[in-house]
Amino acid sequence: MSITLNTDYLKNFINPKEITALSPMVQKAHEGLHNKTGKGNDFLGWLDLPSRITDGFLNELNILAKDVQANSDVLISIGIGGSYLGIRSTIEFLGGATKLPVYYAGHNISSDYLHNLLETVKNKRVTVIVISKSGTTTEPAIAFRAIKKALEARYNSEELKKRIICVTDEKKGALRKIVEKSGYRSFVIPDDVGGRFSVLTPVGLVPLALAGIDIKSLVEGARKGQSEYSVMDLEKNTAYRYAALRYLLYKKGKKIEILSSFYPEMFYVAEWFKQLFGESEAKGGQGIFPASLIFSTDLHSMGQLMQDGERTIFETFVMIDKPQHDVIVPTDAEDLDGFNYVAGKGFDFVNKKAYEATASAHFEGGVPNMTLTLCQADAFHLGQLYFLFEKAIGIYGYLLDVNPFDQPGVEAYKKKMFALLGKK
Ligand code: PA5
């Protein structure tokens, strides 16, 4: 298996019999998803998405990518939430350096941010991809207006058709209307895949291909996840076991899950995870609060809280067996800093010891924790991890008896904002 789950530090918190006893509920959740009879069953397009992506489509994207890379110095990816986080998490996880440098817009409304971005790209050849499933979201819509205006000063309408790509609904929404009027190239987001589950639709695949990411491996990994996490067996199915364990922890009063890792490259994967889990499970006054920490950085700021704060938290570590590169701690003849005792060891070795020490200390401090380990830090395993988390939250949502595929709560602030802005 290329992603494993270690639950040693759940002992004393969860009895194996409790997991076995949960099996019928997991079975019911599994059937609800796979027979499409559960809540929110009109949004289950993600469930078999990896196997429905054709190699022909991936090839088409890679051909387009070559064209765009040849004609551009930078890519601006406009989008927010599910139309932003999966793209950034994939790029950052793989080290951040892409064939075509990517800038992000439309994920905030900061005027300084947009001003600085426009300044940064003003002498560069720009391609823009604007992504919005609804086509009506305020942040990407007004960022697109501003960026398009800046590009119109530099490119004629024929050139703009080559430099603007839209990803949106097949028929609905303002962005689709813009596509129809302008003739911009466009890709369709399937109706039955919600924003936070859309990283493997054109939402993620198009900008990632343009950036030069190995989308074939990403999809291959997700396909492996699709087949591995479809088996109704709590022992064999890591996604189901993880879902069952977090359900038991929640029922024991563990209300906050910290997704902890020892890699800064995981920062945006955790942001993606927080949207996926937070929007899916937090319904009707229920749901674990998903949080994240990057160690060892955050051990020097949040370590006290983790070790000794209120014991309503549990922790899920994400570790990587083989990083892409390792760096050796050099020997120093004088050893003035006293660190020759680790000279000759890899940073990865030291990092893993820091993890082992942290997991053990947190367990002893009353924080149950478990660890997902990816065999390698590559696109394949990230694709598999995306699918693992998607499947886990689907099952967990059904265990909690909520609809994991809607997000009615996010409308409340929008209504007030539109009223304040005078929207008619
Ligand atoms: O999960 C969701 O549905 C949201 O977070 C959306 O992804 C986000 O609001 C962006 O929406 P849209 O793609 O319609 O612009």
Side-chain angles (χ1 to χ4, degrees):
M1 274 172 70
S2 41
I3 300 183
T4 54
L5 178 65
N6 183 322
T7 58
D8 289 354
Y9 288 137
L10 293 182
K11 65 181 175 231
N12 307 350
F13 293 96
I14 291 175
N15 182 319
K17 284 188 189 141
E18 294 175 282
I19 308 171
T20 314
L22 202 61
S23 193
M25 273 175 78
V26 176
Q27 168 94 37
K28 198 165 159 243
H30 167 83
E31 285 162 10
L33 275 182
H34 282 271
N35 300 337
K36 301 197 189 284
T37 50
K39 289 181 176 167
N41 55 4
D42 43 347
F43 276 99
L44 290 177
W46 58 274
L47 202 53
D48 60 352
L49 183 64
S51 61
R52 284 190 290 120
I53 301 167
T54 64
D55 288 343
F57 179 61
L58 298 176
N59 289 338
E60 186 194 317
L61 293 186
N62 285 332
I63 292 167
L64 172 66
K66 286 211 170 76
D67 247 27
V68 170
Q69 287 161 14
N71 297 329
S72 319
D73 301 314
V74 295
L75 176 69
I76 301 180
S77 181
I78 305 177
I80 194 166
S83 297
Y84 158 64
L85 286 168
I87 303 155
R88 193 155 193 179
S89 71
T90 307
I91 289 175
E92 304 283 336
F93 180 79
L94 297 173
T98 44
K99 278 191 190 150
L100 190 58
V102 181
Y103 292 89
Y104 302 93
H107 59 303
N108 62 57
I109 325 175
S110 159
S111 52
D112 281 340
Y113 180 92
L114 192 56
H115 168 85
N116 292 338
L117 172 63
L118 290 172
E119 278 298 300
T120 307
V121 303
K122 76 176 174 206
N123 296 318
K124 302 198 188 297
R125 296 172 305 157
V126 175
T127 289
V128 171
I129 179 157
V130 52
I131 308 160
S132 178
K133 183 167 193 235
S134 62
T136 54
T137 307
T138 308
E139 292 90 336
I142 60 175
F144 182 45
R145 271 196 184 207
I147 291 167
K148 185 154 73 79
K149 183 95 189 151
L151 295 187
E152 279 165 353
R154 294 164 55 185
Y155 301 117
N156 64 30
S157 58
E158 278 316 297
E159 187 64 19
L160 277 183
K161 279 191 207 167
K162 292 185 204 143
R163 295 193 171 274
I164 294 179
I165 299 170
C166 303
V167 183
T168 190
D169 187 86
E170 189 179 5
K171 298 191 184 103
K172 296 189 296 278
L175 191 54
R176 179 52 61 190
K177 277 195 207 143
I178 294 175
V179 168
E180 280 160 12
K181 182 98 194 290
S182 61
Y184 298 148
R185 185 194 289 268
S186 73
F187 291 88
V188 170
I189 307 174
D191 260 352
D192 56 356
V193 182
R196 58 190 175 274
F197 289 83
S198 68
V199 62
L200 297 166
T201 71
V203 167
L205 295 178
V206 182
L208 290 172
L210 300 186
I213 296 293
D214 180 1
I215 52 169
K216 283 192 176 171
S217 294
L218 188 75
V219 170
E220 275 302 318
R223 284 178 187 150
K224 180 165 194 273
Q226 184 187 327
S227 97
E228 214 165 272
Y229 308 134
S230 294
V231 185
M232 183 40 233
D233 182 328
L234 270 174
E235 276 303 306
K236 291 195 182 123
N237 189 324
T238 302
Y240 286 18
R241 204 158 71 254
Y242 169 54
L245 290 168
R246 69 194 297 282
Y247 178 78
L248 291 170
L249 288 165
Y250 181 56
K251 292 292 167 189
K252 288 171 191 271
K254 303 298 175 192
K255 308 286 186 195
I256 300 168
E257 176 176 17
I258 317 281
L259 194 80
S260 296
S261 82
F262 280 74
Y263 314 94
E265 298 79 15
M266 277 288 301
F267 182 88
Y268 280 98
V269 177
E271 295 302 300
W272 174 87
F273 161 89
K274 286 191 278 189
Q275 182 193 358
L276 180 70
F277 277 42
E279 273 189 356
S280 299
E281 67 181 279
K283 311 276 158 75
Q286 302 187 82
I288 295 168
F289 186 96
S292 64
L293 292 171
I294 300 290
F295 298 149
S296 64
T297 314
D298 292 334
L299 287 173
H300 295 258
S301 55
M302 299 292 278
Q304 176 63 32
L305 184 151
M306 291 302 294
Q307 195 62 43
D308 219 8
E310 196 184 349
R311 301 298 72 178
T312 46
I313 55 180
F314 71 97
E315 205 170 12
T316 302
F317 290 96
V318 178
M319 292 301 294
I320 292 161
D321 203 17
K322 292 185 212 93
Q324 294 184 61
H325 312 279
D326 201 5
V327 177
I328 305 297
V329 180
T331 307
D332 187 282
E334 293 186 279
D335 196 25
L336 292 178
D337 59 9
F339 276 96
N340 266 354
Y341 76 98
V342 286
K345 304 265 190 257
F347 270 68
D348 188 55
F349 174 83
V350 180
N351 207 23
K352 293 222 165 75
K353 293 299 161 206
Y355 150 70
E356 286 169 26
T358 306
S360 165
H362 288 179
F363 168 70
E364 284 167 16
V367 180
N369 63 75
M370 51 189 155
T371 302
L372 287 162
T373 301
L374 278 63
C375 171
Q376 260 170 276
D378 57 16
F380 180 93
H381 290 92
L382 183 61
Q384 187 177 349
L385 185 70
Y386 282 150
F387 202 85
L388 187 160
F389 280 140
E390 289 179 356
K391 198 66 191 285
I393 198 61
I395 293 291
Y396 176 87
Y398 282 0
L399 289 177
L400 216 53
D401 198 24
V402 301
N403 176 356
F405 308 114
D406 65 0
Q407 57 285 329
V410 297
E411 293 311 311
Y413 92 90
K414 288 186 195 169
K415 274 191 198 137
K416 286 183 186 285
M417 179 179 77
F418 291 143
L420 292 172
L421 289 170
K423 184 179 178 186
K424 297 201 176 71

